[in-house]
Amino acid sequence: MKKKSLFCLCIFLLLAMALPLTVFADMGPKPMVTVRVVNPPQGTYYLDLLTYQDGSFSNLTEEERAALDPEMLAVLENYSDSYGHPAIAAGTDVPLFGQLTGEPDGDGFVHVFSYHGVPSDFRLIAVTENLNVIISEPIDRDVLQIHLTWDMAANRVTRPSTFLAYLTQFLGTLLPTLAIEGLLLLLFRFSTKRNWLVFLLTNLATQLFLFLVLGIPTVKGGYLTYYFTFLPAELIILLAESAVYAFLLQGRKKGWRIAYAVTANVASCAAGFFLAEPLFRLTTRLL
């Protein structure tokens, strides 16, 4: 009876992994820069991103232009030097969404710039009511979405460390894998006392491989990167764990060990497939 239950579980997991995934060109998370301004200047100010793109695409509609102060807008539109030109006011190669004015947030303001026109390397530029220009230090957007804090009075930009985001990404695949494959180890009636070390070390090694191949690119490029590459990576892990468990697990015949390896990997792979998006959204909150 138990063997039949395990066989049904294997079939169910394989069918779950066979579900079709339709990918559209514009689906998935987009590049984003969120800037929280503290100690802003008195009165109105406009904030933009300095980019080196050629500006062929206009990111301001005529209605938006009409609602802005013409002198302040002109300073941005006409600004151009070795740092580039303002992305919203003067344009980008591809569309960029954002507003020059921020949303109130406590004693500061929040500005959000998103979509494909978000540059990877940029500076922040602000124009005050008295037409003064403030330019930040250079910023490298080394991940898909980042959060910045700009102390405008001190002209200092800070951002969270990426360490916690990468650690969360690694643990977000490791812990569910240990839980799922550990439960299946018990269901396949392997002795945890005799096999826990092999089980733990094998999963640590394979999850480190998965983190290097998929986890880091996911934080940098979004969960669609994960969907495009996780099946080949999981196949490598399945073959590796099957070989390890076939020879090192104790207490059962070789065919039973391989059956466990296949079932455990398909189960954890299915979980990873469905956890990819929420895990990415969690890590982006830490960046």
Side-chain angles (χ1 to χ4, degrees):
M1 185 66 180
K2 290 183 178 180
K3 289 185 178 180
K4 289 183 178 179
S5 299
L6 288 173
F7 175 77
C8 292
L9 176 61
C10 294
I11 296 299
F12 171 78
L13 292 171
L14 287 171
L15 289 174
M17 291 309 299
L19 290 174
L21 174 66
T22 303
V23 179
F24 299 96
D26 201 41
M27 69 181 294
K30 305 298 185 293
M32 181 180 296
V33 174
T34 302
V35 183
R36 186 175 190 275
V37 173
V38 298
N39 298 320
Q42 293 293 324
T44 303
Y45 71 89
Y46 295 161
L47 187 148
D48 209 335
L49 308 179
L50 287 178
T51 179
Y52 297 103
Q53 299 180 38
D54 65 16
S56 58
F57 190 93
S58 176
N59 294 308
L60 284 177
T61 65
E62 292 303 319
E63 292 79 6
E64 289 171 330
R65 290 180 182 276
L68 297 170
D69 181 282
E71 292 186 330
M72 295 172 64
L73 178 59
V75 171
L76 283 176
E77 287 181 316
N78 296 323
Y79 183 90
S80 180
D81 64 8
S82 59
Y83 298 152
H85 63 264
I88 294 292
T92 49
D93 293 341
V94 290
L96 170 65
F97 301 143
Q99 293 185 333
L100 300 179
T101 55
E103 295 293 330
D105 181 49
D107 57 352
F109 293 88
V110 172
H111 302 254
V112 179
F113 303 91
S114 63
Y115 212 60
H116 298 294
V118 174
S120 297
D121 302 296
F122 60 93
R123 293 175 187 253
L124 303 175
I125 181 173
V127 176
T128 66
E129 274 189 354
N130 56 9
L131 305 185
N132 286 335
V133 175
I134 307 171
I135 298 176
S136 76
E137 61 198 67
I139 299 161
D140 175 23
R141 183 178 61 81
D142 53 353
V143 292
L144 189 69
Q145 300 179 357
I146 61 173
H147 293 76
L148 307 173
T149 300
W150 190 14
D151 184 336
M152 201 174 286
N155 196 8
R156 182 176 62 250
V157 177
T158 57
R159 58 183 291 190
S161 169
T162 58
F163 173 78
L164 186 57
Y166 284 120
L167 179 62
T168 301
Q169 178 69 38
F170 176 65
L171 295 179
T173 57
L174 173 65
L175 297 181
T177 296
L178 291 177
I180 293 170
E181 297 194 12
L183 176 61
L184 287 171
L185 190 73
L186 296 175
L187 292 176
F188 272 78
R189 305 192 64 158
F190 284 100
S191 168
T192 54
K193 184 176 181 180
R194 300 172 63 187
N195 294 296
W196 72 269
L197 185 59
V198 170
F199 169 80
L200 179 62
L201 293 179
T202 301
N203 277 286
L204 283 174
T206 54
Q207 288 304 304
L208 179 59
F209 165 77
L210 196 67
F211 172 71
L212 294 175
V213 174
L214 296 181
I216 293 177
T218 296
V219 175
K220 288 180 175 292
Y223 56 84
L224 283 186
T225 303
Y226 184 97
Y227 289 146
F228 282 128
T229 55
F230 90 108
L231 280 178
E234 287 287 356
L235 179 60
I236 293 173
I237 290 176
L238 186 150
L239 294 175
E241 289 197 2
S242 296
V244 171
Y245 289 154
F247 291 99
L248 297 182
L249 281 183
Q250 301 180 41
R252 294 286 172 177
K253 294 182 179 180
K254 187 175 181 180
W256 192 250
R257 300 171 196 169
I258 295 175
Y260 162 72
V262 172
T263 305
N265 274 275
V266 171
S268 60
C269 184
F273 181 92
F274 292 108
L275 288 175
E277 180 178 354
L279 182 57
F280 170 78
R281 300 200 180 282
L282 175 60
T283 59
T284 55
R285 295 179 183 177
L286 304 173
L287 293 169

